Every structure is written in structure tokens, then in C-alpha cells.
Amino acid sequence: MTPQEYMRRAISLAEKGVGFTNPNPMVGAVIVKEGRIIGEGYHEKCGELHAERNALASVTEDPKGATIYVTLEPCCHTGRTPPCTDALIDAGIAEVVIGSRDPNPRVAGKGAKILRDHGIKVAEDFLKDECDALNPVFFHYITTGFPYTVMKYAMTADGKIAAYTGLSKWISGESARQYVHQMRGRYAGILAGIGTVLADDPMLNCRAKGAHQPLRIIVDSSLQIPLTSKIVKTANQYPTMIACAVQVESNAKAKALAAQGIDVISLPDQNGRVDLNALMRFLGEKKIDSVLIEGGGTINEAALKVGIINHVCTFIAPKLLGGKDAKTPVEGQGFASPDEAVLLCTPTIKRFDDDILLEYDIRRSSCLPES
């Protein structure tokens, strides 16, 4: 095997931790000695051993003098687990090949320096882009304190997310819907507005086998959610939060929701509606590092206008619904001119039977300008 193959093996191992490591990164590690893999591991769950220690625990022979390929710079501080740099030094590892640099201020550059100071050869930025692609959530969260937020919707080829009657089941096909459940398992939270709850009565859970169940977050400024809704009735099965803009201490509806196991939080409002920036700040403080927005056009417009969206997932179905009153992915007044539009980076494209998924990053400085 080549060095590139060893690192790609580490990347594939890291991906096994998807949905379970939050708010930690996904990390994989492969230990190689004299051209043989003698140990490998990945970060399996937040609070448990990191990839390097799991790899060392699996070795089939003495790792002294070996090389470890690790997708992210080894940690050098004590958190829920001891520093991985200590484990590598104690094991006699001779070389550490690092994919991504860790932007966490507690680690950034320090892990590599400690290893070098102990005579270990360190190579950085090896297959950097491929390793970086594992952890956009972690990189955003650790540097901003805000959740990495994804806006997802399914629409027809003429841009409708529902018929003029309000019916929306189903815009996309079965394979696309199955993929959405895999997506839900990647993120710490899944968010919808009260309009979606009232119109569709969704469950907002993850039905992918063995997947992580995200926190369900409902933005319900005036606590309109029915006590008979699926969200309320299943709150004892799935973690659920309702963000409102009313004082909950003396509110009978809030007390009734809390009695069902729902965490009802009161946040500052903007024009009578929950301030989404305040909500994201609150979620970040609660270690919710990522949010998938699966609401309708109203919550999508609000999220875009306050600038909390990092990534957009657009499923396009080969259907035409028409109708001037049919719902679109982004409602509200919209922007006054194309010059004010939210700009997106070049998309990646996936296909699910007859449906197409376009994935865009919101265009910021990391996106190259169009030619």
C-alpha cells in the first residue's frame, strides 16, 4: 500500500464515527510498520478514546519505530480523555503523518510541536483537502461557537415545495427520502418552524438503522404547537426543544409541554419572532455543533436573512406543480434585486433514481469568484 492509501484508510475509519462524535471531530488513524498495518482505530463516540489511542490499543506488535497516519493533528491537552501526544510518545512512534491541522486554539500547532520536540518526525497537510472534508462541522463550530447550519428542502423542477393545496407528500422519491434520514443522523439537531409542524405534523426523527437521534428543535414563537402533535406525543422517545419568545415561567402551555419532557426555552425576539441568532448562540453553548433545517419557506427566509446558513441541500424532483400560490423554498418578501441575493459556491451533484441533489456552500471568502 502507498502512503495515500494508508491515509485514505484512516479517512474511511473516521467516517464510521459520523453522528456520534459531536461536538468532537471525526478522526481516523492507521499505524504502519515496515510496510504492514499493525493497528488502526477511529474516534467512536464523544467522551471515549480518540483515534490514536484506539489504534494503539489494537496493535498486533510493538509500535516502536512505526508511522501513524492520522486525519487530524493529535490533541495535546487533557479533556474528557488524556492527550494523544503523550500516548504516541510513550509508544515510541517514529513518525506522525497528519492530514488536517486542528483549528482548536488548545491544539492548533501545539500537538505537532510537542511531537517534534520529542524527536518524532511530523509531516503535515497530507491529503489535506480530503481530510478537511471530514469535519466542516467541527471546524466551523470550534472557531465560531455557533452550530454549522444546513438548509435542506425538496422541490419540483419548477421550484415548488408543495402544491397550492399545501400537500407536499411526496415531492422526492423513496431513495432520496432514505438519504435524508442518513443526513439527519449526521447532525446534532434538526430544526423546523411551527408552520411546518402545523401543516405536516412531522416526526423529525432519524429512521436510518443504528443512527444517532438528533435533538428536535421547534421554533414556535408564541407556543402554538398542539399537545396532540407527533412532536409532543413522542417527546419521551426523542430529545425535543421548543424555542419561544414568551415568558415560560408563568405560561400554562409551557408547563404542559415541559410535563411531556420537552425543554421549553424563552429567547429574545425580533418583531415578535424568536431571534435565530440568539437561538444559534444558545445551541452552541449547549454543545449542539450542527443543525439541519427542515422547515418551510418562512424559516428558510428568516435563516438566510440573518446569515446563519452555511450549506444548502436542494433535492430536485422531475415534477411540475405550477401555481402562483404554491409554496416555494424561500418565502417572505425576498431580496429586492439580484445584487442582494445570497450567493452559493459551485455545487456538488448526486443522483437518487430520478431525483437530483445539489449541495452548495454559502459563498464566502473560501469560494473562488466566478469567471
Side-chain angles (χ1 to χ4, degrees):
M1 293 177 69
T2 65
Q4 289 81 5
E5 288 173 319
Y6 293 136
M7 184 61 86
R8 290 192 176 110
R9 173 61 183 166
I11 291 170
S12 68
L13 289 167
E15 290 170 340
K16 293 184 177 183
V18 65
F20 293 98
T21 66
N22 311 64
N24 286 352
M26 293 187 287
V27 185
V30 172
I31 300 173
V32 179
K33 187 172 184 179
E34 298 175 355
R36 306 182 312 278
I37 293 177
I38 64 167
E40 59 183 29
Y42 66 99
H43 184 35
E44 299 177 14
K45 188 176 181 180
C46 181
E48 297 183 0
L49 292 179
H50 291 183
E52 299 93 323
R53 288 182 176 270
N54 277 330
L56 287 169
S58 77
V59 292
T60 55
E61 59 183 274
D62 187 352
K64 186 175 181 180
T67 296
I68 185 169
Y69 293 81
V70 60
T71 58
L72 183 70
E73 180 180 3
C75 69
C76 55
H77 64 286
T78 299
R80 295 181 178 91
T81 59
C84 289
T85 49
D86 289 357
L88 297 174
I89 293 164
D90 293 343
I93 293 293
E95 182 178 6
V96 179
V97 180
I98 297 169
S100 298
R101 301 190 185 214
D102 193 337
N104 184 345
R106 301 178 71 184
V107 179
K110 300 181 182 73
K113 183 179 184 302
I114 287 171
L115 294 171
R116 288 190 178 107
D117 288 347
H118 283 80
I120 297 174
K121 183 180 178 182
V122 177
E124 297 177 275
D125 300 331
F126 188 75
L127 296 189
K128 179 181 185 299
D129 290 345
E130 293 178 48
C131 291
D132 284 355
L134 284 168
N135 288 304
V137 167
F138 172 73
F139 293 158
H140 175 78
Y141 177 68
I142 202 68
T143 55
T144 68
F146 274 56
Y148 181 89
T149 303
V150 177
M151 184 174 80
K152 190 279 300 179
Y153 54 87
M155 69 179 190
T156 60
D158 58 342
K160 307 298 183 182
I161 62 171
Y164 75 91
T165 58
L167 295 176
S168 61
K169 294 183 178 179
W170 294 101
I171 297 294
S172 56
E174 177 64 25
S175 63
R177 297 199 301 272
Q178 288 180 3
Y179 183 72
V180 168
H181 282 285
Q182 295 177 36
M183 288 177 60
R184 289 179 179 180
R186 297 185 68 91
Y187 301 105
I190 178 168
L191 182 148
I194 185 59
T196 296
V197 176
L198 295 175
D200 299 336
D201 194 21
M203 283 280 286
L204 297 180
N205 63 330
C206 177
R207 294 190 280 279
K209 185 177 180 180
H212 149 82
Q213 288 294 337
L215 171 69
R216 303 184 300 182
I217 306 157
I218 308 301
V219 180
D220 183 6
S221 299
S222 55
L223 291 182
Q224 300 177 64
I225 190 167
L227 295 176
T228 55
S229 67
K230 291 177 182 175
I231 291 289
V232 175
K233 291 171 72 174
T234 59
N236 61 336
Q237 301 174 50
Y238 307 107
T240 307
M241 173 187 292
I242 294 179
C244 67
V246 301
Q247 293 299 318
V248 299
E249 291 81 3
S250 58
N251 187 286
K253 182 72 167 289
K255 292 179 180 178
L257 293 168
Q260 297 298 314
I262 296 173
D263 186 11
V264 184
I265 61 167
S266 178
L267 291 170
D269 71 287
Q270 284 189 332
N271 301 318
R273 293 184 176 181
V274 169
D275 181 334
L276 293 181
N277 268 315
L279 172 58
M280 291 299 151
R281 187 177 300 109
F282 176 86
L283 292 173
E285 290 170 353
K286 296 295 183 182
K287 307 298 184 185
I288 302 299
D289 67 351
S290 51
V291 172
L292 177 65
I293 296 182
E294 284 204 67
T298 300
I299 197 77
N300 288 347
E301 187 231 9
L304 285 169
K305 285 205 165 180
V306 298
I308 62 172
I309 302 297
N310 302 99
H311 192 74
V312 178
C313 292
T314 303
F315 289 88
I316 302 176
K319 299 175 183 177
L320 300 171
L321 273 174
K324 65 182 179 65
D325 296 323
K327 296 288 188 181
T328 60
V330 183
E331 295 282 334
Q333 185 178 22
F335 297 94
S337 78
D339 291 340
E340 299 176 13
V342 176
L343 300 181
L344 308 175
C345 294
T346 302
T348 60
I349 303 171
K350 296 176 183 173
R351 185 170 173 176
F352 298 91
D353 294 333
D354 292 333
D355 298 323
I356 294 172
L357 169 61
L358 303 178
E359 292 196 56
Y360 307 87
D361 285 329
I362 297 292
R363 183 179 296 183
R364 296 190 172 92
S365 59
S366 60
C367 283
L368 295 174
E370 291 185 348
S371 57

